[in-house]
């Protein structure tokens, strides 16, 4: 049965009953059905396992929030397959609800919109401060769901747009009172290069230790969200390259962003899973 997109975007999808206790005389809110999502998961899981022998590292850093609170999952963005790998890595126990470009929902006569909405995606307008998407993401976090965001805004090394360090993920995490879980997908950028055939490298999805915004309270208030974004993206690239965070050259990656190396020197602001 087809459902209105907006209804699905505002319905919970993850079964987090403990955080959705109804008032006396009320029932739990209606959820997006899991049938389509489970079928899509089974297909993608098998395809990724066979084609890319993919594995997951550090999943405990995301699992610790299952049924307890929401989390913002962020990652560096290098391939159109990034959200698919992260979504499958979190399943079947958790659902990561990704922000997707608004125009994707009209593809295939609206069928694409039905499918990606049923797996948890919701739209965001690119190049603008989309207050509706921000409020929707914050509401998801408050009811215990996980939200996926790529702070760079575009794929690195693909197309004409240069990646930038946006602070939207940190802002949404603050609104939703949620931690940030950094992530990366190693070797995904080797699957397809322009003008070349598809390759099948071994792909690893890695989740890093959670970052809590309150740990940045030592900084001036006006600097905190930018510092959180900078630190979190450095964690993503440290995961990607499997190197200590201090070895990540953030100035080269984000030449126009403020550098917080001095302010955060010697501080480990990510916490291991409890």
């Amino acid at each position: 049965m087809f459902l209105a997109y907006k209804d699905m975007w505002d319905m919970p999808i993850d079964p987090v009953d403990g955080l959705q206790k109804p008032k006396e005389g009320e029932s739990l809110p209606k959820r997006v059905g899991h049938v389509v999502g489970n079928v899509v998961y089974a297909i993608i899981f098998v395809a990724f396992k066979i084609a890319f022998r993919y594995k997951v590292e550090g999943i405990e850093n995301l699992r610790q929030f299952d049924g307890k609170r929401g989390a913002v999952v962020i990652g560096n963005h290098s391939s159109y397959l990034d959200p698919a790998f992260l979504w499958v890595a979190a399943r079947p126990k958790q659902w990561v609800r990704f922000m997707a470009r608004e125009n994707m929902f009209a593809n295939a006569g609206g069928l694409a919109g039905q499918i990606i909405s049923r797996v948890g995606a919701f739209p965001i307008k690119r190049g603008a401060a989309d207050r509706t998407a921000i409020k929707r993401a914050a509401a998801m976090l408050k009811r215990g769901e996980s939200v996926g965001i790529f702070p760079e805004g575009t794929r690195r090394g693909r197309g004409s747009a240069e990646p930038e360090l946006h602070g939207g993920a940190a802002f949404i995490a603050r609104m939703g009172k949620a931690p940030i879980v950094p992530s990366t997908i190693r070797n995904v950028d080797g699957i397809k290069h322009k003008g070349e055939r598809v390759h099948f490298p071994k792909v690893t999805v890695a989740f890093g230790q959670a970052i809590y915004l309150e740990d940045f309270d030592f900084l001036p208030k006006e600097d905190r969200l930018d510092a959180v974004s900078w630190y979190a993206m450095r964690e993503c690239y440290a995961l990607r390259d499997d190197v200590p965070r201090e070895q990540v050259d953030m100035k080269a990656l984000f030449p126009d962003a403020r550098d917080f190396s001095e302010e955060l020197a010697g501080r480990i602001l990510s916490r291991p899973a409890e």
Side-chain angles (χ1 to χ4, degrees), residues 156-227:
R156 185 173 289 274
R158 309 294 174 101
S160 57
E162 286 296 324
E164 298 178 12
L165 185 53
H166 298 285
F171 180 69
I172 290 170
R174 185 177 69 180
M175 285 187 64
K177 297 178 172 57
I180 294 174
V181 178
S183 69
T184 196
I185 305 100
R186 300 185 190 123
N187 295 331
V188 69
D189 53 345
I191 293 175
K192 182 70 172 72
H193 296 289
K194 188 174 181 179
E196 297 182 9
R197 64 177 181 82
V198 175
H199 300 276
F200 299 95
K202 187 174 182 179
V203 173
T204 299
V205 180
F207 295 94
Q209 296 179 357
I211 300 164
Y212 295 81
L213 272 67
E214 58 266 29
D215 290 346
F216 291 75
D217 285 353
F218 66 91
L219 291 170
K221 190 173 182 179
E222 63 272 16
D223 294 338
R224 290 173 193 168
L225 290 183
D226 287 340

Side-chain angles (χ1 to χ4, degrees), residues 15-216:
V16 284
D17 295 354
L19 299 179
Q20 299 169 8
K21 292 180 181 178
K23 296 178 182 179
E24 188 175 352
E26 295 181 353
S27 58
L28 284 168
K30 186 178 179 180
R31 298 195 190 106
V32 178
H34 288 181
V35 175
V36 173
N38 289 340
V39 170
V40 171
Y41 165 69
I43 294 171
I44 297 178
F45 174 82
V46 172
F48 281 2
K49 273 294 185 182
I50 294 173
F52 307 113
R53 296 148 291 156
Y54 100 100
K55 66 176 183 177
V56 182
E57 296 178 354
I59 190 62
E60 67 277 2
N61 293 309
L62 180 60
R63 290 283 187 259
Q64 65 178 319
F65 303 115
D66 181 35
K68 298 177 182 178
R69 66 186 301 186
V72 176
V73 179
I74 71 164
N76 58 293
H77 200 12
S78 58
S79 168
Y80 62 90
L81 289 175
D82 289 339
F85 273 107
L86 286 175
W87 184 80
V88 170
R91 295 288 327 276
K93 199 170 185 181
Q94 290 167 284
W95 300 69
V96 179
R97 306 195 66 168
F98 280 95
M99 288 183 168
R101 294 195 312 274
E102 188 179 37
N103 60 356
M104 291 181 63
F105 292 81
N107 291 341
L111 179 61
Q114 279 288 325
I115 294 174
I116 62 177
S117 294
R118 286 180 180 272
V119 302
F122 62 102
I124 185 170
K125 297 177 182 177
R126 296 189 68 176
D130 190 339
R131 294 182 180 180
T132 299
I134 291 171
K135 290 179 180 179
R136 186 170 278 136
M140 292 173 179
L141 293 170
K142 288 178 180 177
R143 65 179 178 239
E145 297 187 279
S146 297
V147 174
I149 303 173
F150 295 102
E152 293 172 299
T154 188
R155 289 174 289 156
R156 185 173 289 274
R158 309 294 174 101
S160 57
E162 286 296 324
E164 298 178 12
L165 185 53
H166 298 285
F171 180 69
I172 290 170
R174 185 177 69 180
M175 285 187 64
K177 297 178 172 57
I180 294 174
V181 178
S183 69
T184 196
I185 305 100
R186 300 185 190 123
N187 295 331
V188 69
D189 53 345
I191 293 175
K192 182 70 172 72
H193 296 289
K194 188 174 181 179
E196 297 182 9
R197 64 177 181 82
V198 175
H199 300 276
F200 299 95
K202 187 174 182 179
V203 173
T204 299
V205 180
F207 295 94
Q209 296 179 357
I211 300 164
Y212 295 81
L213 272 67
E214 58 266 29
D215 290 346
F216 291 75

